[in-house]
Amino acid sequence: MIFKRKKSKEHEAPVESSEAAAAPAEPKIGPFDIKDVEDTNEYLDFGSILIKPVSGLKVRMDVEESNKRVIAVSLEIAESRIQLMAFSSSKSESLWPGIKDKIKSDIGAQNGEIFTREGHYGEELLAKVPQQLPDGRAGHVALRFVGVDGSRWFLRAVIGGKAIADEEAAGVVDAILRDVIVNRGDKPLPPAELLPLNVPANAQTRPAQEEAQPEIKRPERGPEITQIG
């Protein structure tokens, strides 16, 4: 009987693809936690939310009617809109499932339609919400809801306008969202607590670059979408 000698594993070297070894690391995609960003000087600092300025961007701070509290930062660019709200959260549990259920319930109560789809940050919601048109006719507004979990914070984005159906416009809005920075702060807060917002101190400090600077409006009552979820 002939026995074949097994090769010693000591002499077996792992085979590594030269392409895999040389592959560059994928760039990090935000929204980012403020502790992970070295330089925020160019950003507009709204307190818990920091926005990277881009040409043509208009910014408004939305106020909750009942208590006059600033609750959201709304951005508008090239016929697209994105509303941002930041909340505290725990390390172990996402707020998004509960917020999604609330959004679905609210839109259902308005006889709207809602659909789900997979996005870059997980499951997103697409909604058609009934709305009266300026001429008095019945119509609807199309909205996209995105939830992003961070380090003890949660960011909710509501997107509307041209970015709903236009791929190029959606890319512009998604790029703005990816550059957002969230400042959770170190203060102990219960989950789902709205993080504080304020008017940025550097909002109008560079008039020489006015064309490249966002147009910022002072706090005012937000659109109806602030009441959803």
Side-chain angles (χ1 to χ4, degrees), residues 7 17 21 49 59 149 182 187 210 215 221:
K7 293 182 180 179
S17 168
I49 296 175
V59 185
D149 289 300
V182 178
K187 182 180 178 182
E210 185 175 352
E215 175 187 335
R221 184 179 185 275

Side-chain angles (χ1 to χ4, degrees), residues 30-220:
F32 300 100
D33 186 273
I34 195 167
K35 294 179 180 178
D36 297 326
V37 181
E38 294 182 4
D39 185 5
T40 62
N41 287 334
E42 66 176 313
Y43 280 74
L44 290 167
D45 187 348
F46 291 87
S48 58
I49 296 175
L50 287 76
I51 305 295
K52 188 173 184 179
V54 296
S55 181
L57 185 66
K58 297 180 181 179
V59 185
R60 184 187 69 240
M61 302 185 73
D62 297 336
V63 172
E64 193 172 45
E65 187 73 9
S66 59
N67 56 18
K68 309 302 180 185
R69 177 179 59 162
V70 178
I71 60 171
V73 177
S74 288
L75 315 174
E76 184 177 337
I77 185 166
E79 299 179 58
S80 298
R81 302 180 303 278
I82 176 170
Q83 184 199 60
L84 301 171
M85 298 177 75
F87 304 84
S88 61
S89 69
S90 67
K91 293 181 180 179
S92 59
E93 188 174 357
S94 170
L95 297 179
W96 189 219
I99 290 177
K100 280 190 298 185
D101 288 344
K102 181 65 164 58
I103 293 170
K104 292 176 182 178
S105 175
D106 288 349
I107 291 176
Q110 297 178 55
N111 296 319
E113 299 178 60
I114 196 153
F115 313 89
T116 61
R117 75 168 191 179
E118 282 300 310
H120 181 78
Y121 304 103
E123 189 175 82
E124 301 179 353
L125 300 179
L126 297 175
K128 291 173 66 176
V129 184
Q131 187 178 73
Q132 187 174 14
L133 300 176
D135 61 5
R137 292 182 299 139
H140 72 270
V141 58
L143 301 172
R144 172 186 163 204
F145 295 83
V146 180
V148 184
D149 289 300
S151 177
R152 296 171 57 237
W153 52 260
F154 173 80
L155 184 70
R156 192 199 76 168
V158 185
I159 298 165
K162 193 174 180 180
I164 294 294
D166 186 281
E167 187 174 341
E168 184 177 350
V172 171
V173 167
D174 286 346
I176 291 173
L177 179 59
R178 287 194 296 268
D179 281 331
V180 169
I181 297 173
V182 178
N183 185 0
R184 161 64 173 77
D186 298 322
K187 182 180 178 182
L189 294 169
E193 182 80 10
L194 196 64
L195 298 180
L197 293 165
N198 52 257
V199 178
N202 62 338
Q204 297 175 347
T205 58
R206 290 179 287 182
Q209 300 177 10
E210 185 175 352
E211 291 187 3
Q213 291 297 95
E215 175 187 335
I216 299 179
K217 295 183 179 180
R218 295 289 166 173
E220 60 183 55

